Amino acid sequence: MKHLKIDNLHVSIGDREILRGLSLDLPTGQVHAIMGPNGSGKSTLAKVIAGHPDYTVTSGDILFDGESILEMEPDARARKGIFLAFQYPSEIPGVTIANFLRAALQARLPEGEELEATEYYAKLYEKMDLLEMPRTFTSRAVNEGFSGGEKKRCEILQMAMLQPTFALLDETDSGLDIDALKIVSHGVNSLRGPETGMLVITHYQRLLNYIVPDFVHVMVNGRIVESGTKELALKLEAEGYDWATEPEAEAVGA
Amino acid sequence: MSDTQTQLDIDREKGNFRYDVDYEFDAGTGLNEKTIDYICDVKGEPDWIRQFRKDALKKFLEKPMPTHWASHDLENIIFDKIRYYLSQGGQKPKKTWDEVPEDVKRTFERLGIPEQERKFLAGVEAQFDSEAAYSNIKEAVGKQGVIFMGSTDALKEHPEIFRKWFGKVIPTGDNKFSALNSAAFSGGSFIYVPPGVKVSHPLQAYFRINAENFGQFERTLIIADEGAEVTYMEGCTAPKFDTATLHSAVVELVALKGAKIQYITVQNWSNNVFNLVTKRGLAMEDAEVKWIDCNIGSRLTMKYPGVVMKGRRARGEVISIALAGDGQHQDTGAKMVHAADETTSNIVSKSISVGTGRATYRGLVKIPRHLKGCKNNTECDALLINTSSRTDTYPAISVRGTGNACQHEASVSQVSSEQIFYMQQRGLTEAQAMSLSVNGFVNDLVRQFPMEYSVELKRLIDLEMEGSVG
C-alpha cells in the first residue's frame, strides 16, 4: 500500500492564501471524496498536488509514499503516478488523442525503448469500448471542439491508459448529463482497485451515488473541517454547507 | 517510428561541415562586366546570353535596395566582397556518382543524396557552388521524353524550348535580386515534360554552398507541356561561416493547358545565408501550379512564391511553413495573380517564431474587375513561442468586380502555459510538450510533404523546442 499524504499544507496564489493548513492521507485502495462550497480551495488542492506553477506552497508538505514531491516538476510527478482529471481540460489543436496518449506513454518508458504499437492500440480500443467512445475518436485533436461530456470522457480515457497510482478527479461530474455521468462513473469504478487511490472532488453529492467513496471530507476556506463516511455526503446534500461554514465565519469575525 | 530510417537534409546541423575543394575557375570578388565576360567565357555561352546578362547587370545596379518595405538587414550584404562564380571546371555534370570528383562527392554522400536517389527519386541534380557536379535521370523517365538537366547545358542543347520561356515568367527587372540572378546565374535545373507524360516519382535538385563569401545564383526553368504532371523537390545546405553568404535564385514554372506542377522546397541554409529568391509559375487553362514551401534555415529569407493564372479555370496554391529561430527572419508569403475567368487560388501559411526569431507574412492577391467567377482563399496563422518572438502580417488583397470571391483568415496564437501544464501533467517534459503542440500546429501542412521530409521536419521541431525552454 502506498500513501499520498498532505501535511499541514499552506498554499498561496500571489498574496492570497487559499489552502490554510490542510492535511489528508490517501492510501491506495481507497476512494476519498472532497466536497465543499465554491471557492473553498478544492481545485487548488488538486492543482497543487499536480505541481501547477501558479501556486506557491508556503509551508507544509506533499508526500508520495513518504517522499516529498514539492521540488518535482509536474511531468516528473505525473510519471511517478499522479494523474489529474481536469475540470477544464486544455485543447491541443492538431494533436490527435492517439498520438498524445502514445507520447505520454512513451515518456514513461526508459530511454531507447519504443512503445509497441499493436499492444498500444489494443489497449486503447479496449478502454474506449469501456467508455463507449467510437473508434473515430482517436483521430480527433485532443479536446478540440469537444462537448463537455466528450472532454470528461477523454480525461477518464487518459486515466485508464496511464494507470496512475493516485488519481485526482476535479469536478468530473460538471457539465455531464445523467447518461454521460453513468458512463464516466462506470469508467472510474472499473479503475478502482488495491493499486489505486482516488481523490474525487465535487460540489454535488450526485456523483457520489455513482462513485461511492470510502471517506468523505468537507472542505471550507482552505481546510478540511469534517471527515466521515459516505453518509456525510448525504448530510451535506440535506443540510447544505451552512452548518460547516458558520463557525469559520465566527472565527474570522472574532 | 521511422526516424532512424531516413536521413534527409532537415537536421539543422547536418550541413554544417566543409571539405576543402580546389577550384579551377574563380571569377574573383565583385560583379562587373568583366565578371560577366569571365562567366560567359568559362561556360562558352552564346552572345545573346552575354547581352542578356549585361542588360541585367545594369538593371541590378539601377534598382535601389527595397528597404523602404523590406528588412534593413539587406544593407549588410557587401556585394563587392562576394565571389560570383566558383567551379571545378566548365565540364558537363557527371551521370554516375563514380565519375564525380572525390572532394565533391564526399560532401553529397555525407548529405545522403545518392542514397535518396536510389530510394525514391526519378532523377537528381546536385549543384556544388556554381555548377552541377552530378545530373542524372532514371532511364525509364528519360525514355518518356522527359528532359532533366542543368540550365547551363539546356540553353546549349535545347535552345528552342529554353529561350521561349526563359525570363518570360519573371522578367529581369522584376526586382533587384531577379536582376542580380539574371546577370550572374549559373546552375539550376531545366525540366521539360512532354504532353501527357506524368512523372511518377519526384525529380530532385540539391544545392550546396561550400565556399565562403560566395553567392549562388541558380536558375531553374520547368515546363510541363499540355496534360503533363511533375513534382520537383529542392533541398539545400551550407556550412556555417562567420561571414555572410548570398543565395539568390530565380525559378520559373510553366504549366501549359491541363498540366500540373508541384514544387517542393525545404530550405535549410545555415544562419549566415541571405536567401533572396524569386519564384513564380504560369498556369494556363485548367493547369495547376502548387508551391509547397518550407523555410527553416537562413539569416534572412525573402521569398513569395507566386502563380499567374493566365488560362480559364487555372489553379494556384501556396502551402508555406516557416520556422524562425533565434536571430532568424523568415519573410515569406505568396502572390496570386488572377488573369482569367474562374481561376482559383489558395494560400495557407503557418509560421512559428522561437526566441528572437521573426516571421513575416506578405500576401498579394489580385483579381481585376473584368473577371468573373474567381476565388481566393487565404489563411495565415502565426505561433509565437517566447515573449521575445515576433510576427507580422501584411496582406495586400485587391479583389474587384462583382462575380469574384475572396476569403481571408489570419490568427496569431501563443502556446499557453495552461496547455503546457496539461501536457506535462500527462508526463511529457516541457520541451516535449512544446514540440508536440508546435507539431500539432503545422500538422495539417506537414502531411502534404513527402513522408521522408515530414518525419525529419518533426524531428527538427523537437530539436528547436529543446532549446526554447528552460
Side-chain angles (χ1 to χ4, degrees), chain B residues 351-398:
Chain B
S351 70
I352 303 146
S353 310
V354 186
T356 59
R358 180 178 172 192
T360 303
Y361 169 81
R362 293 178 208 270
L364 180 139
V365 177
K366 242 188 204 169
I367 306 179
R369 189 183 301 278
H370 65 275
L371 297 182
K372 288 190 297 286
C374 298
K375 278 184 205 150
N376 165 262
N377 174 59
T378 300
E379 292 165 45
C380 61
D381 300 319
L383 184 68
L384 298 171
I385 301 296
N386 304 98
T387 48
S388 53
S389 316
R390 178 173 169 186
T391 183
D392 315 271
T393 302
Y394 304 98
I397 299 173
S398 151

Side-chain angles (χ1 to χ4, degrees), chain A residues 52 78-79 84 108 155 158, chain B residues 418 422 424-427:
Chain A
H52 195 288
R79 292 192 299 271
L84 170 59
R108 285 162 169 77
E155 292 295 287
Q158 293 177 50
Chain B
E418 282 305 316
Y422 182 75
Q424 278 190 281
Q425 211 301 304
R426 299 305 185 241

Side-chain angles (χ1 to χ4, degrees), chain B residues 188-301:
Chain B
S189 308
F190 172 79
I191 296 171
Y192 172 77
V193 187
V197 172
K198 296 176 169 60
V199 185
S200 56
H201 290 84
L203 296 168
Q204 194 191 40
Y206 197 90
F207 299 97
R208 172 70 177 174
I209 292 179
N210 196 59
E212 199 162 359
N213 297 326
F214 174 69
Q216 191 174 56
F217 307 98
E218 90 269 10
R219 182 98 195 186
T220 289
L221 175 59
I222 300 176
I223 298 147
D225 213 323
E226 294 190 1
E229 289 179 19
V230 65
T231 297
Y232 179 83
M233 303 199 306
E234 59 171 1
C236 54
T237 56
K240 277 181 192 156
F241 294 120
D242 296 332
T243 55
T245 303
L246 178 60
H247 173 255
S248 190
V250 165
V251 176
E252 298 175 288
L253 311 183
V254 179
L256 297 177
K257 188 176 174 182
K260 279 186 187 172
I261 301 178
Q262 180 161 294
Y263 192 107
I264 303 168
T265 303
V266 177
Q267 182 270 106
N268 190 23
W269 293 117
S270 55
N271 288 9
N272 58 300
V273 175
F274 283 94
N275 183 45
L276 311 165
V277 172
T278 311
K279 289 183 164 167
R280 200 169 301 152
L282 195 60
M284 308 309 270
E285 195 176 314
D286 291 311
E288 183 180 303
V289 170
K290 180 172 183 174
W291 299 96
I292 300 180
D293 201 39
C294 177
N295 292 289
I296 292 164
S298 81
R299 165 174 171 171
L300 170 68
T301 281

Side-chain angles (χ1 to χ4, degrees), chain B residues 449-460:
Chain B
F449 283 79
M451 233 283 282
E452 289 78 2
Y453 279 104
S454 58
V455 169
E456 282 290 302
L457 200 55
K458 280 190 178 142
R459 208 164 61 90
L460 174 79

Side-chain angles (χ1 to χ4, degrees), chain A residues 36-49:
Chain A
N38 288 328
S40 56
K42 303 187 301 288
S43 284
T44 297
L45 175 64
K47 286 187 195 168
V48 167
I49 296 170

Side-chain angles (χ1 to χ4, degrees), chain A residues 80-226:
Chain A
K80 205 169 169 59
I82 290 174
F83 180 90
L84 170 59
F86 286 68
Q87 184 178 5
Y88 304 109
S90 290
E91 294 183 1
I92 315 171
V95 178
T96 63
I97 291 177
N99 279 344
F100 183 52
L101 273 171
R102 198 174 164 150
L105 284 166
Q106 181 68 47
R108 285 162 169 77
L109 296 178
E111 186 112 13
E113 205 173 298
E114 285 284 334
L115 194 67
E116 218 286 296
T118 333
E119 283 170 28
Y120 164 69
Y121 277 101
K123 187 175 168 189
L124 180 62
Y125 291 149
E126 179 203 321
K127 302 297 180 190
M128 287 174 73
D129 290 346
L130 175 75
L131 290 158
E132 298 178 31
M133 295 166 98
R135 295 280 155 93
T136 49
F137 222 81
T138 52
S139 56
R140 288 178 66 184
V142 180
N143 295 320
E144 200 181 30
F146 283 19
S147 69
E150 285 173 330
K151 281 185 183 171
K152 295 299 164 75
R153 251 189 261 190
C154 180
E155 292 295 287
I156 304 307
L157 173 68
Q158 293 177 50
M159 174 171 140
M161 289 299 286
L162 300 175
Q163 294 177 306
T165 311
F166 294 105
L168 318 166
L169 282 70
D170 189 7
E171 307 267 1
T172 295
D173 51 331
S174 69
L176 293 187
D177 61 32
I178 192 72
D179 292 331
L181 181 66
K182 281 181 185 167
I183 295 167
V184 165
S185 305
H186 175 61
V188 172
N189 285 329
S190 71
L191 299 171
R192 290 177 79 154
E195 304 299 319
T196 312
M198 290 188 195
L199 193 63
V200 179
I201 293 169
T202 181
H203 187 73
Y204 300 104
Q205 193 270 336
R206 184 181 73 151
L207 176 68
L208 305 182
N209 291 334
Y210 298 95
I211 304 171
V212 181
D214 298 301
F215 293 95
V216 175
H217 307 280
V218 181
M219 188 166 169
V220 176
N221 276 326
R223 269 186 217 126
I224 286 171
V225 295
E226 176 134 6

